[in-house]
């Protein structure tokens, strides 16, 4: 079975931080505070020093960049009890996320069937899906509207336009407006899906499936054979959608940060 650490490395490379520094086997990722994945420590292997010293070094590194220190923990991290150690140091756990995987061919089959059914229902044909290597400004604006965040659009655009393995950004356009978006990166035979979002007034109309279908077809041509994605544990509708496409839970991860205004325990 593919290890959680290997998949976390793939996901980290597919959503690249602006700056990555190694502390032993830990990856310290910084990106001007834009997105948690790009601004957290990924504890893949032993940090090469006592954990308390490693945490102190992490806090100094993030403080120098005016970014709150944050850790991403998962099954297979090093050390195994990092979450408990962080809790003792005053860090709170949040945003449990399900990491799901599937054979890419298994994802493609139901998407193809769904696409045929959608075309039969819609006499004018399903909306086309545009694919670009980098997200356009219009794509970013549509993503912001469909999935509002506290992060500025320029910062998120800089992150998504970073050089990564082969990637595509999908957009569904209706009446001149982008109503659904998605992103896929292919690396070492794995297709990583992310940023799949639909405008609130166009949900439950098959647009997310259209995005997944177009990205899956491209990923197969790009040589991917397996797929992964990540969805918040509390987002049951999204999990149900992805399970219908053949995805199953591989492992879970969460973030650890100190509550705002809380200082280090002495």
């Amino acid at each position: 079975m593919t290890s959680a650490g290997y998949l976390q490395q793939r996901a980290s490379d597919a959503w690249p931080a602006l700056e990555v520094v190694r502390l032993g086997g830990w990856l310290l990722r910084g990106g001007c505070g834009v997105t948690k994945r790009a601004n957290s420590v990924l504890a893949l292997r032993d940090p090469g020093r006592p954990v308390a010293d490693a945490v102190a070094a992490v806090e100094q590194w993030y403080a120098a960049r005016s970014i709150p220190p944050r850790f991403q923990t998962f099954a297979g991290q090093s050390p195994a009890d990092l979450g408990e150690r962080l809790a003792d140091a005053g860090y709170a756990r949040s945003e449990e996320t399900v990491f799901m995987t599937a054979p890419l061919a298994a994802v493609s089959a139901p998407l193809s069937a769904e696409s045929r059914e959608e075309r039969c229902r819609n006499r004018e044909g399903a909306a086309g899906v545009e694919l670009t290597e980098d997200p356009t400004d219009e794509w970013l604006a549509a993503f912001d509207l469909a999935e509002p965040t506290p992060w500025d659009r320029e910062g998120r655009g800089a992150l998504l336009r970073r050089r990564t393995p082969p990637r595509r950004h999908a957009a569904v356009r209706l009446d001149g407006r982008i109503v659904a978006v998605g992103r896929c990166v292919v690396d070492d035979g794995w297709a990583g899906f992310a940023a799949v979002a639909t405008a609130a007034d166009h949900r439950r109309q098959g647009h997310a499936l259209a995005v997944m279908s177009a990205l899956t077809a491209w990923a197969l041509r790009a040589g991917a054979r397996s797929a992964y994605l990540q969805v918040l544990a509390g987002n049951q509708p999204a999990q149900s959608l992805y399970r219908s496409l053949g995805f199953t839970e591989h492992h879970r991860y969460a973030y650890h940060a100190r509550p705002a205004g809380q200082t280090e325990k002495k």
Side-chain angles (χ1 to χ4, degrees), residues 82-163:
L82 179 59
E84 290 81 354
R85 291 175 181 242
L86 291 172
D88 290 342
Y91 284 75
R93 185 178 186 274
S94 65
E95 295 193 52
E96 183 177 17
T97 303
V98 181
F99 198 112
M100 307 181 80
T101 60
L104 194 58
V107 177
S108 178
L111 283 171
S112 297
E114 180 72 24
S115 180
R116 287 194 299 271
E117 182 180 345
E118 183 66 26
R119 286 195 295 269
C120 289
R121 290 199 302 264
N122 184 351
R123 288 177 295 178
E124 297 179 359
V129 181
E130 304 167 6
L131 293 181
T132 58
E133 183 176 30
D134 288 333
T136 64
D137 290 343
E138 189 181 7
W139 189 101
L140 290 166
F143 187 25
D144 282 347
L145 185 63
E147 190 176 283
T149 72
W151 304 303
D152 68 275
R153 186 182 306 170
E154 183 178 345
R156 186 149 64 169
L159 186 152
L160 293 178
R161 288 169 177 149
R162 294 274 290 172
R163 296 294 94 183

Side-chain angles (χ1 to χ4, degrees), residues 3 7 9-10 14 34 39 61-62 74 79 87 91 94 111 123 146 161 169 171-172 180 186 207 216 234 246:
S3 73
L7 290 172
Q9 180 71 75
R10 299 279 71 72
V34 177
N39 292 273
W61 191 84
Y62 282 101
F74 63 96
Y91 284 75
S94 65
L111 283 171
R123 288 177 295 178
R161 288 169 177 149
H169 293 79
V172 173
V186 171
H207 300 316
T216 295

Side-chain angles (χ1 to χ4, degrees), residues 19-31:
E19 182 180 10
V20 179
V21 171
R22 291 188 176 274
L23 180 66
W26 287 7
L27 299 184
L28 281 57
R29 303 172 294 184

Side-chain angles (χ1 to χ4, degrees), residues 192-208:
F193 295 92
V196 177
T198 303
D201 57 340
H202 283 81
R203 289 172 185 163
R204 301 187 182 279
Q205 298 177 30
H207 300 316

Side-chain angles (χ1 to χ4, degrees), residues 143-234:
F143 187 25
D144 282 347
L145 185 63
E147 190 176 283
T149 72
W151 304 303
D152 68 275
R153 186 182 306 170
E154 183 178 345
R156 186 149 64 169
L159 186 152
L160 293 178
R161 288 169 177 149
R162 294 274 290 172
R163 296 294 94 183
T164 66
R167 64 199 177 281
R168 289 295 183 274
H169 293 79
V172 173
R173 186 184 299 275
L174 289 177
D175 299 324
R177 169 193 168 200
I178 294 177
V179 299
V181 297
R183 169 182 167 94
C184 182
V185 174
V186 171
D187 180 22
D188 199 24
W190 284 83
F193 295 92
V196 177
T198 303
D201 57 340
H202 283 81
R203 289 172 185 163
R204 301 187 182 279
Q205 298 177 30
H207 300 316
L209 287 170
V211 164
M212 289 292 294
S213 180
L215 291 174
T216 295
W218 168 78
L220 285 167
R221 293 194 299 271
R225 294 295 175 265
S226 303
Y228 69 83
L229 52 81
Q230 297 135 101
V231 58
L232 286 170

